[in-house]
Amino acid sequence: MTENQTNDLSKFIALILRHKPQTIGIQLNKNGWANVDELIKGISKHKKKPFSMEMLEQIVVEDEKKRYSFNDNKTLIRANQGHSISVDVELKECRPPEILYHGTSEKFVSSIDHEGLLPKSRLYVHLSKDIETAKSVGSRHGNPIIYKVKSLAMHNVGYKFYLSTNGVWLVQKVPVEYLEK
């Protein structure tokens, strides 16, 4: 597969496993797992091109953001986070570091400054442990703006933080008073 083909298929798999499994006629279980054989058959049928386990494994291994996980025997696959559909990806609650970061673009600053960080169409707000990752995320939509999140202070008053298997910190919302630009 070319790099473009791999990227296109990875984005398509993200759409299926995070948002619209019905696109290829599959269902996710309550924990977000999809049957690998059904996923492969569904992608092949939808794309009208052969798609194989080897191709899927290549996408999972090469994905820079580590979006996907297999179960132990590779019969099931799921997205690690980023869902807009209600699934429980069995996140473990964790004590966050003192500061986390959120990267966004200029067009969202006014809204964030008034409402804080909200998950919008997703289940959680995504936070990064370092400024570089936040800049990378923010630059996907233009000039990046980085918010510093007082995560430990939030945790100390009862906000629950989760750490996904690919290192993304998740929280249901971040009120304005815990944000700094």
Side-chain angles (χ1 to χ4, degrees):
M1 280 189 303
T2 68
E3 189 175 334
N4 281 345
Q5 289 171 319
T6 302
N7 287 339
D8 289 347
L9 281 168
S10 184
K11 288 178 184 177
F12 186 61
I13 292 168
L15 172 76
I16 294 164
L17 296 179
R18 289 176 167 176
H19 312 293
K20 296 180 179 181
Q22 68 275 14
T23 301
I24 62 166
I26 67 169
Q27 291 185 343
L28 307 181
N29 74 14
K30 67 179 183 163
N31 299 119
W33 293 105
N35 178 287
V36 168
D37 290 337
E38 290 176 8
L39 179 73
I40 290 169
K41 286 177 192 164
I43 291 172
S44 294
K45 186 176 177 182
H46 185 85
K47 294 288 187 182
K48 298 181 172 119
K49 292 181 182 175
F51 185 73
S52 67
M53 180 64 172
E54 292 76 24
M55 294 166 81
L56 181 59
E57 287 176 319
Q58 178 183 347
I59 288 167
V60 171
V61 168
E62 292 179 2
D63 186 71
E64 291 177 5
K65 296 180 182 178
K66 304 295 179 210
R67 289 182 185 99
Y68 315 108
S69 294
F70 284 113
N71 67 342
D72 290 339
N73 63 3
K74 295 188 178 178
T75 58
L76 301 174
I77 187 171
R78 72 175 169 195
N80 291 319
Q81 92 281 323
H83 298 84
S84 62
I85 55 177
S86 184
V87 295
D88 175 8
V89 292
E90 306 166 292
L91 296 167
K92 295 197 181 356
E93 189 178 338
C94 296
R95 178 187 166 106
E98 184 176 353
I99 301 296
L100 289 169
Y101 302 91
H102 181 80
T104 191
S105 73
E106 291 174 310
K107 65 183 173 185
F108 300 118
V109 168
S110 177
S111 170
I112 292 169
D113 287 349
H114 288 94
E115 300 176 34
L117 294 171
L118 303 173
K120 300 293 181 181
S121 64
R122 295 188 176 185
L123 300 178
Y124 296 98
V125 172
H126 294 201
L127 303 173
S128 306
K129 67 180 184 318
D130 57 70
I131 293 173
E132 294 76 29
T133 303
K135 277 185 187 174
S136 174
V137 170
S139 65
R140 289 186 301 190
H141 305 287
N143 188 32
I145 303 297
I146 308 304
Y147 282 90
K148 188 173 171 180
V149 177
K150 299 171 191 167
S151 46
L152 188 56
M154 287 178 63
H155 175 74
N156 290 340
V157 297
Y159 286 90
K160 293 180 181 180
F161 285 80
Y162 305 93
L163 183 59
S164 71
T165 57
N166 61 344
V168 176
W169 283 91
L170 306 168
V171 66
Q172 290 201 322
K173 66 178 179 178
V174 179
V176 174
E177 61 266 26
Y178 295 101
L179 292 172
E180 245 178 64
K181 271 191 267 183

